[in-house]
């Protein structure tokens, strides 16, 4: 019989599965044989090398984890320091702004107090009809400037007497009121926001007994 050529051009022995076993197979009996002393030494050396390599890898992993934990702790501390610094800066900015506003208000109030006598003369001239001509223009500019800084005049006849904003210079009685009431404003008051620069000086009437 003529051997048929392999259509794929492959050696049948090359297609058979190969088994690699470090314990070796006895070619005569087909059974596993015990490794020789040399093979045993080589196997143990290989196992020791593998164990050493694993130990080194494990040690490196532990060191890497330790280093990562240290870096994380350092980062957390820096973040905490940055947060504290940011909070301190924010508090400083707020405090500085509040102090600046307070200083400004005190300065404006001091100027208003210094000009109160002038403002009284202006109001008196207005009541008597003498606020005319250039004097009227100057008075309007002065009052307008103070108004832009929050200074306003207050006090009117007929409003309830309030000792926190009124200064009673005269007292009387009237059957027309049911509570202490401002009868006449002798000198208007001036305030800046909630701050009273000068209380309104008034004549007050109380209810008759």
């Amino acid at each position: 019989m003529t051997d048929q050529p392999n259509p794929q051009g492959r050696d049948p022995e090359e297609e058979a599965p190969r088994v690699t076993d470090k314990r070796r197979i006895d070619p005569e009996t087909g059974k596993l044989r015990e490794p020789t002393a040399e093979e045993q030494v080589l196997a143990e050396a290989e196992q020791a090398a593998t164990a050493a390599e694993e130990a080194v890898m494990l040690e490196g992993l532990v060191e890497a984890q330790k280093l990562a934990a240290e870096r994380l702790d350092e980062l957390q501390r820096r973040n905490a320091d940055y947060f504290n610094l940011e909070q301190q800066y924010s508090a400083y900015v707020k405090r500085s702004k509040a102090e600046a506003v307070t200083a400004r208000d005190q300065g404006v109030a001091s100027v208003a107090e210094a000009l109160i006598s002038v403002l009284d003369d202006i109001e008196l001239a207005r009541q008597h009809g003498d606020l005319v001509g250039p004097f009227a223009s100057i008075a309007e500019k002065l009052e307008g400037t103070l108004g832009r800084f929050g200074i306003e005049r207050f006090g009117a006849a007929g409003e309830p007497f309030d000792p926190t904003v009124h200064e009673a210079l005269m007292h009387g009685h009237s059957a027309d009121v049911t509570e202490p009431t401002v009868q006449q404003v002798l000198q208007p008051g001036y305030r800046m926001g909630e701050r009273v620069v000068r209380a309104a000086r008034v004549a007050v009437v109380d209810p008759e007994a």
Side-chain angles (χ1 to χ4, degrees), residues 34-47:
E34 294 297 327
T36 64
E38 182 181 356
E39 292 175 340
Q40 184 66 28
V41 171
L42 291 176
E44 292 176 355
E46 184 177 355
Q47 291 177 357

Side-chain angles (χ1 to χ4, degrees), residues 3 19 36 56 66 79 81 87 100 105 117 120 130 167 189:
D3 294 337
V19 178
T36 64
V56 170
K66 181 180 178 181
N79 285 340
D81 293 340
Q87 292 295 104
D105 291 346
S117 60
D120 286 341
D130 297 332
E167 180 183 354

Side-chain angles (χ1 to χ4, degrees), residues 16-25 32 46:
R18 296 182 179 181
V19 178
T20 302
D21 194 331
K22 294 182 180 180
R23 294 173 296 179
R24 307 297 180 183
I25 298 177
L32 294 176
E46 184 177 355

Side-chain angles (χ1 to χ4, degrees), residues 104-106 108-109 149-152 190-197:
R104 171 189 174 278
D105 291 346
Q106 290 176 346
V108 172
F149 283 96
I151 301 296
E152 61 178 356
Y190 293 92
R191 63 188 168 200
M192 183 176 63
E194 298 297 325
R195 177 177 180 174
V196 176
V197 178

Side-chain angles (χ1 to χ4, degrees), residues 124-193:
L124 187 61
R126 182 180 287 113
Q127 292 176 2
H128 288 82
D130 297 332
L131 195 63
V132 294
F135 180 57
S137 177
I138 294 173
E140 290 177 359
K141 289 181 179 179
L142 176 61
E143 291 177 334
T145 299
L146 292 175
R148 287 196 296 271
F149 283 96
I151 301 296
E152 61 178 356
R153 184 171 57 246
F154 70 91
E159 63 186 13
F161 174 73
D162 183 353
T164 62
V165 296
H166 296 137
E167 180 183 354
L169 300 183
M170 299 175 60
H171 274 279
H173 293 83
S174 173
D176 297 331
V177 298
T178 58
E179 61 179 345
T181 304
V182 175
Q183 184 182 40
Q184 181 183 359
V185 178
L186 305 177
Q187 287 182 325
Y190 293 92
R191 63 188 168 200
M192 183 176 63

Side-chain angles (χ1 to χ4, degrees), residues 4 15 28 39 49 53 56 58 66 70 74 77 81-82 89 97 99 106 148 157-158 161 168 172-173 184 189 197:
Q4 296 294 330
E15 297 181 356
E28 296 180 358
E39 292 175 340
E53 183 179 357
V56 170
L58 179 60
K66 181 180 178 181
E70 292 176 354
E74 181 180 357
R77 287 199 304 269
D81 293 340
Y82 175 77
Y89 176 74
K97 289 182 178 179
E99 291 175 352
Q106 290 176 346
R148 287 196 296 271
F161 174 73
H173 293 83
Q184 181 183 359
V197 178

